[in-house]
Amino acid sequence: MIQSVPDDPHSEQKQNESIEIQLLLEAIYLKYGYDFRNYACASIKRRIVRKMDLENIPTLADMQHRLLYDLDFFETLLMDLSINVTEMFRDPSFYKALREKVLPALQGTPFIKIWIAGCATGEEAYSVAVILQETGLYDACRVYATDFNEKALQQAKEGIYTAETIRQSTHNYKLAGGAASFTDYYTARYDNAIIDQSLKKNVVFSDHNLVTDSDFGEMNIIICRNVLIYFNRTLQDRVFQLFHTSLPPGGFLCLGSKESIGLSEYADRFDHIIPREKIYRKK
Amino acid sequence: MTTRPFRHECIVIGVSAGGMEALQKVLTVLDAGFSLPVVIVQHEAATSGGFLAHFLAGKCALPAKQAEDKEKLVPGTIYVAPPDYHLLIENDRTLALSIDAPVNYARPSIDVLFETAADAYGRALAGVILTGASVDGSRGLKKIKDAGGLTIVQDPQTAEASYMPRAALAAVEVDYVLKLEEIGHFLSAL
Ligand SMILES: C[S@@+](CC[C@H](N)C(=O)[O-])C[C@H]1O[C@@H](n2cnc3c(N)ncnc32)[C@H](O)[C@@H]1O
């Protein structure tokens, strides 16, 4: 129904708010070098506003001041903005495809390099390591797992998870085609589970920012899941370019279940080889 | 004071487990000429496989699909949040997904959709809370109201689970409390 109504008093406020958010992200970039300017806005804004609520910061202008002058405060916001949510064997069908379709294609490659970009606290990297063990390829592989969040990387290196995390993973491990006993891969201690050294030894965790750092050599497989949903299309294209440069022809690119290269300008440089998974192969 | 033509531009609906029937009752009333996008969060188990979108596509005159990341909202289309992802609306009226931690024990969360939709559409948004057993959605509905949008809650007495409608009514001074049968007709006149 079309009615006639006065101008919306909220619309100016909304416009100003989005200008102030942009300025805030600009300030973070100029001061600390972390570039969130091309992240998907709605999610970033929710986090900033939630932080302001929590800390009783009344306006975005106050928030900017606090961020510029209080490094510790910035670091807590950085944790909030980086969203380290992850789990072992999230989307079991992906790991099944990795086991049954991707890795067999690399049998015979003398040295396989796998890059896990945006590895958060490490669960994904260790899930991949399990699959490598079970396909007999572990010793021929090096897994480079990277993230820009140093606290998350620290946890990843330690490889200590709650018993609860591990219990939940066991079911997904089975769905991912896991035939062994998941308990073989960790040592239980009190309420924790420590990932076994045999899984850790070929996994290297390191600091890398997908927005501001360049590539670090040729990879056979790149796994980057549930990171690109947080980026806008411009930034996604930058990352696809980075991945494209890092893969030889025939190299594999694995994205999250709800991510796609389809809308990007790089779409036609990859074949979508497993329709039900977001697994692509460079032409 | 200047005035300008106004119409609503988007509808968001929140419903928790068991809401399949309620959604069907509301959405089958909308005919093929209906021209607003309808965006839905239903609390679903992570393992449900996203059955709801298929179900609605089979029953409704409007096309229904699972929401995809970065997808542009198209008039007269029903979008359903995929299980285990939050669904957000960006200011440029595209959809976004995230795997942020659950909110109100829910992923997708109704609050997350409603709050971001209120930001994107302001008063041009209509928000609907249907049956459910959660407090999820109350905050979001409040935000829709505060941004000048239209708020509708299913009459708790007619809801299979009255907890969620009651929580919404306690949190927001809503514009309309309607029976399920009435909601579809109300929306089709927007
Ligand atoms: C939601 S988690 C996904 C973790 C894991 N890949 C998974 O699918 O379970 C997103 C991760 O991306 C990381 N991330 C976000 N922006 C990044 C950037 N610019 N460079 C590197 N990592 C980034 C975050 O720190 C976070 O650990």
Side-chain angles (χ1 to χ4, degrees):
Chain A
M1 216 186 327
I2 299 181
Q3 310 158 306
S4 230
V5 296
D7 280 343
D8 186 353
H10 296 284
S11 78
E12 188 184 358
Q13 187 195 336
K14 193 173 122 184
Q15 187 195 16
N16 289 345
E17 197 176 67
S18 78
I19 292 172
E20 286 190 288
I21 298 252
Q22 274 183 49
L23 291 173
L24 188 86
L25 299 180
E26 197 67 40
I28 291 175
Y29 176 60
L30 291 173
K31 171 90 192 208
Y32 300 106
Y34 285 95
D35 190 355
F36 291 103
R37 294 173 302 174
N38 282 312
Y39 278 52
C41 307
S43 172
I44 285 276
K45 186 182 160 196
R46 253 186 78 77
R47 286 177 174 273
I48 291 173
V49 169
R50 210 189 62 178
K51 184 84 180 164
M52 288 168 60
D53 281 351
L54 235 56
E55 304 274 335
N56 280 318
I57 298 175
T59 68
L60 280 159
D62 294 311
M63 181 72 170
Q64 174 167 323
H65 188 271
R66 178 89 184 264
L67 280 170
L68 288 175
Y69 287 90
D70 185 344
L71 172 64
D72 293 340
F73 180 71
F74 167 70
E75 285 188 339
T76 62
L77 182 73
L78 185 63
M79 289 304 287
D80 289 346
L81 291 181
S82 82
I83 307 148
N84 299 129
V85 177
T86 184
E87 57 191 89
M88 286 193 173
F89 296 104
R90 184 184 163 102
D91 308 317
S93 63
F94 163 69
Y95 289 93
K96 201 160 191 293
L98 184 68
R99 183 197 294 270
E100 291 169 4
K101 307 260 164 58
V102 175
L103 292 173
L106 292 169
Q107 283 287 356
T109 310
F111 187 58
I112 303 170
K113 291 163 90 177
I114 302 176
W115 178 14
I116 300 181
C119 65
T121 41
E123 285 87 333
E124 192 179 26
Y126 293 125
S127 306
V128 169
V130 165
I131 303 284
L132 292 172
Q133 286 269 5
E134 295 186 356
T135 46
L137 289 171
Y138 189 86
D139 289 324
C141 286
R142 177 65 44 92
V143 177
Y144 301 91
T146 63
D147 204 283
F148 77 157
N149 185 316
E150 286 169 40
K151 289 214 173 86
L153 283 172
Q154 195 50 45
Q155 251 175 286
K157 280 178 201 162
E158 284 164 10
I160 301 175
Y161 302 105
T162 64
E164 182 59 24
T165 303
I166 297 286
R167 207 171 312 122
Q168 285 168 359
S169 321
T170 306
H171 178 65
N172 277 357
Y173 163 73
K174 294 258 187 294
L175 291 178
S181 163
F182 196 56
T183 51
D184 294 348
Y185 297 109
Y186 60 85
T187 319
R189 200 172 66 192
Y190 307 110
D191 276 341
N192 288 329
I194 305 163
I195 296 294
D196 200 75
Q197 188 55 33
S198 63
L199 279 187
K200 281 181 168 176
K201 65 176 199 253
N202 290 350
V203 182
V204 185
F205 289 99
S206 48
D207 189 358
H208 180 274
N209 190 324
L210 286 166
V211 184
T212 45
D213 293 335
S214 49
D215 72 282
F216 51 94
E218 193 169 279
M219 298 288 154
N220 301 93
I221 305 176
I222 296 175
I223 298 173
C224 182
R225 310 191 78 229
N226 305 308
V227 181
L228 294 172
I229 38 175
Y230 293 100
F231 294 0
N232 73 14
R233 299 264 294 270
T234 312
L235 189 50
Q236 288 189 346
D237 273 342
R238 187 204 180 269
V239 177
F240 286 135
Q241 186 200 348
L242 184 67
F243 290 164
H244 187 262
T245 341
S246 309
L247 290 168
F252 292 92
L253 174 62
C254 309
L255 305 178
S257 311
K258 301 294 172 194
E259 294 164 330
S260 160
I261 201 169
L263 295 173
S264 124
E265 52 184 278
Y266 286 84
D268 54 6
R269 305 199 202 176
F270 286 86
D271 289 317
H272 190 182
I273 54 157
I274 303 177
R276 302 192 54 145
E277 302 298 327
K278 299 299 164 54
I279 300 182
Y280 305 86
R281 207 162 182 186
K282 181 171 160 178
K283 287 183 182 168
Chain B
M1 199 197 304
T2 55
T3 63
R4 57 176 66 224
F6 170 79
R7 61 169 308 187
H8 287 96
E9 290 167 34
C10 182
I11 296 169
V12 288
I13 301 179
V15 59
S16 90
M20 203 107 95
E21 217 173 301
L23 279 172
Q24 184 186 346
K25 278 211 178 114
V26 170
L27 297 172
T28 48
V29 177
L30 305 176
D31 63 38
F34 187 72
S35 67
L36 306 187
V38 181
V39 188
I40 300 169
V41 161
Q42 186 200 31
H43 296 157
E44 259 183 292
T47 49
S48 69
F51 172 68
L52 182 62
H54 286 290
F55 172 78
L56 292 175
K59 302 276 180 197
C60 298
L62 298 173
K65 67 186 297 286
Q66 204 173 79
E68 287 173 53
D69 190 48
K70 310 275 184 279
E71 177 172 22
K72 194 135 195 84
L73 284 165
V74 172
T77 305
I78 299 169
Y79 300 89
V80 181
D84 218 16
Y85 288 82
H86 290 301
L87 176 59
L88 302 81
I89 301 185
E90 297 282 352
N91 279 346
D92 66 1
R93 280 108 201 258
T94 56
L95 295 170
L97 299 176
S98 93
I99 64 161
D100 291 27
V103 173
N104 306 317
Y105 307 100
R107 187 171 65 195
S109 144
I110 302 167
D111 277 344
V112 172
L113 172 66
F114 280 20
E115 288 176 26
T116 56
D119 269 341
Y121 285 96
R123 66 177 173 179
L125 181 72
V128 185
I129 292 283
L130 300 177
T131 172
S134 159
V135 293
D136 194 24
S138 297
R139 268 181 75 119
L141 198 69
K142 173 95 170 49
K143 176 127 189 210
I144 294 176
K145 176 84 190 183
D146 291 346
L150 190 67
T151 51
I152 301 150
V153 170
Q154 179 182 3
D155 181 348
Q157 301 202 323
T158 70
E160 209 177 293
S162 66
Y163 192 85
M164 199 158 83
R166 278 188 210 286
L169 290 174
V172 194
E173 222 173 282
V174 304
D175 300 296
Y176 297 92
V177 181
L178 299 173
K179 296 198 186 74
L180 215 44
E181 295 71 30
E182 298 166 333
I183 295 176
H185 292 288
F186 184 88
L187 296 178
S188 65
L190 287 180

